[in-house]
Amino acid sequence: MTDTVAVADWQAWQRSWDRQQEWYLPDREERFRVMLDAVEGVVGPEPRILDLACGTGSISDRALRRFPGATSTGVDLDPALLTIARGHFAAEPRAEFVTADLRDPGWAGRLPHRTYDAVLTATALHWLRSDELRVLYGQIAGVVREGGVFLNADHMPDPATPRLNAADQAFRKERQARAQAGGAQDWAQWWQAAARDEVLAGPVAERFTIFGNPADGDHADGETQSVAWHAEALREGGFGEARAVWCSPSDAMVLGLK
């Protein structure tokens, strides 16, 4: 009975994380679908996946449900989100998780495999500054096998369309306000709830030490760039081909083919 309750708790936290992310990204599931379509189309239905900056393992969760023959390695630095991921996937032998800082030049050396068929990430790398991301793209190219694929879905606004960007931002704020009035949690509220949880309180406190408290605006150091910038950086980093494969007014998904 105790084990059943513990698993249910981790599943509840996973669902809670998904709902909080969907408050920001209503089209989140569409991104994941397009991402996994691309994986299957390029490397087939039994990929070895690296879930980069994996958080609670949202990409791994969807990939392993879609591809019974897949395996996934999740890598992240956040101790609270990794705690949820490890709890959620405790009974899943196809998933494993590694603690590593992507700013550490030796992060790839912590991985259990030298190369992967697909390296996937979503709404995470905007935490890095542009020079850091260029370096990371080159490191990722060394982890993707020849013929393998990298996909990054993230904030990639186009500076050439300022009026459209402003209209989209206003629309998103109005939609978020309506959802929040209906009980949806934003980023800071979700972390406040996690900090109050008896099991997560310790990892959350450690997370605040590493990244800062979300109430203080811990996204401040990151930068966003256009799709064209990302595609160019991927090609310069060692990918043979790179372009967008999905977009919304404010976000996009770029694919790099090794």
Side-chain angles (χ1 to χ4, degrees):
M1 179 65 71
T2 301
D3 290 344
T4 301
V5 172
V7 170
D9 287 344
W10 294 127
Q11 291 172 340
W13 276 111
Q14 179 73 266
R15 291 192 298 270
S16 173
W17 173 260
D18 282 341
R19 288 194 302 270
Q20 177 261 130
Q21 290 288 286
E22 287 164 0
W23 182 74
Y24 293 96
L25 308 166
D27 51 16
R28 187 166 178 255
E29 292 301 326
E30 180 185 354
R31 301 166 192 236
F32 291 146
R33 179 189 61 78
V34 173
M35 177 178 284
L36 296 181
D37 282 351
V39 170
E40 184 171 5
V42 176
V43 301
E46 298 185 356
R48 176 190 288 170
I49 293 169
L50 177 61
D51 187 351
L52 197 69
C54 65
T56 65
S58 295
I59 291 175
S60 295
D61 186 49
R62 287 150 180 82
L64 296 180
R65 281 191 275 120
R66 173 162 170 170
F67 304 129
T71 60
S72 180
T73 302
V75 59
D76 207 301
L77 182 61
D78 191 312
L81 299 184
L82 282 174
T83 296
I84 295 172
R86 288 176 173 130
H88 179 68
F89 290 93
E92 176 51 84
R94 296 177 296 156
E96 57 189 324
F97 295 91
V98 174
T99 300
D101 186 349
L102 296 181
R103 292 186 176 96
D104 178 354
W107 68 268
R110 293 177 172 268
L111 302 176
H113 306 289
R114 190 177 66 81
T115 62
Y116 289 82
D117 300 311
V119 178
L120 311 177
T121 187
T123 326
L125 300 188
H126 64 273
W127 282 63
L128 300 176
R129 299 191 63 81
S130 299
D131 56 342
E132 295 173 326
L133 187 54
R134 281 188 182 276
V135 171
L136 180 62
Y137 276 171
Q139 294 169 331
I140 292 169
V143 174
V144 177
R145 69 162 172 83
E146 289 298 322
V149 65
F150 167 67
L151 287 134
N152 176 19
D154 210 341
H155 308 315
M156 300 181 190
D158 188 340
T161 58
R163 289 183 297 165
L164 176 59
N165 297 347
D168 176 63
Q169 184 177 20
F171 173 73
R172 284 187 288 112
K173 285 184 176 180
E174 291 175 2
R175 182 172 56 196
Q176 288 172 353
R178 291 194 300 269
Q180 200 163 27
Q185 288 181 319
D186 65 15
W187 174 258
Q189 291 168 332
W190 189 90
W191 281 108
Q192 290 168 4
R196 293 192 296 268
D197 182 84
E198 182 178 355
V199 178
L200 281 176
V204 169
E206 185 181 352
R207 191 260 181 207
F208 287 176
T209 299
I210 297 171
F211 296 104
N213 193 313
D216 300 328
D218 57 356
H219 281 71
D221 290 340
E223 294 179 314
T224 59
Q225 297 288 353
S226 69
V227 170
W229 183 95
H230 285 273
E232 178 185 5
L234 286 170
R235 288 190 290 267
E236 290 178 353
F239 287 89
E241 299 178 15
R243 69 173 178 88
V245 292
W246 176 91
C247 72
S248 73
S250 58
D251 290 20
M253 184 172 354
V254 292
L255 182 154
L257 182 62
K258 186 72 181 290

